[in-house]
Amino acid sequence: MSNISAHMTINSHYHHTDVQLNEELVIIEAAKKNPAQFAPLYNKYYKQIFNYLYQRMDCKETAFDITSQVFLKALSNLQNYQFKGVPFASWLYRIAHNEMMLVFRNLKDKRAVNADIGDLRFICEETNEPFFEEYIPIIKKLITELDEEDLMLVEMRFFEKRPFKEIAEIINTTEGNAKVKMFRVIEKLKVKIKKYKV
């Protein structure tokens, strides 16, 4: 069962300029030829991936273990990486997501949800519902009751403010499909919020 707690802001940038993306691609191609060149990517993204995982679980040690596994898998499968116009981090997040899901199948009670009032306010705005402080417990309850896929979408879109292009890369779908999935989640939340407010 999920639990919800105070939000820990992830200080990372999900938007890269074309120049930054091209510079990163040069590093990736070099790492494909020589694994020792993977170090800059590891140093750049280790903290982001760890924070992403730690946000979603109660155990720091487990987050550390999965983060290590993510980078091992990334390095092992680097030859299969294909540039899709988003930061390399998106591919790492996809690996992290998959590794985390394996853990949650056995540790469902370890799933954590981190949000602050600003995040919850944004959800109300998206569902065209007015936001009042007394709605906070209701919205928190509804979020923790979402299935895993829907919860991940809410976290990435509302809590981490990721663009749909990156969300699509992480969940391995098209940008259009990611938007449709998010729309459906919002519609579900809208119905449930109205039900609780009656």
Side-chain angles (χ1 to χ4, degrees), residues 148-176:
E148 186 58 43
E149 183 179 3
D150 290 349
L151 177 56
M152 291 292 292
L153 285 169
V154 167
E155 288 175 321
M156 288 189 285
R157 184 62 180 166
F158 296 122
F159 302 173
E160 299 168 356
K161 311 299 188 292
R162 296 177 189 272
F164 279 110
K165 187 173 185 179
E166 185 171 18
I167 292 173
E169 171 65 9
I170 293 171
I171 64 175
N172 197 24
T173 189
T174 64
E175 186 173 351

Side-chain angles (χ1 to χ4, degrees), residues 20-135:
Q20 289 173 317
L21 288 173
N22 288 331
E23 290 175 345
E24 186 170 81
L25 190 55
V26 169
I27 297 172
I28 294 168
E29 293 304 318
K32 284 183 177 181
K33 296 175 183 176
N34 179 3
Q37 299 300 314
F38 187 73
L41 296 169
Y42 175 88
N43 294 332
K44 180 178 182 180
Y45 289 120
Y46 181 89
K47 187 175 181 180
Q48 286 186 34
I49 297 301
F50 170 77
N51 285 339
Y52 170 83
L53 292 165
Y54 188 39
Q55 282 274 332
R56 292 161 169 80
M57 46 189 53
D58 293 331
C59 180
K60 183 177 285 189
E61 290 305 314
T62 302
F64 276 126
D65 290 343
I66 300 176
T67 303
S68 296
Q69 189 66 22
V70 168
F71 283 95
L72 282 173
K73 286 205 169 185
L75 183 57
S76 300
N77 294 282
L78 194 59
Q79 297 299 328
N80 299 324
Y81 172 78
Q82 295 181 344
F83 179 68
K84 296 182 179 179
V86 293
F88 181 70
S90 298
W91 189 61
L92 294 174
Y93 283 122
R94 187 199 299 180
I95 297 172
H97 171 75
N98 292 336
E99 290 298 304
M100 185 170 56
M101 290 303 98
L102 290 174
V103 172
F104 286 149
R105 284 180 191 140
N106 298 320
L107 300 172
K108 292 181 182 297
D109 60 335
K110 294 297 183 182
R111 182 63 160 101
V113 180
N114 294 284
D116 61 22
I117 292 177
D119 298 328
L120 302 177
R121 185 187 302 276
F122 189 25
I123 291 175
C124 270
E125 291 174 357
E126 196 73 11
T127 57
N128 295 315
E129 293 294 324
F131 178 82
F132 298 104
E133 297 292 327
E134 56 265 33
Y135 292 170

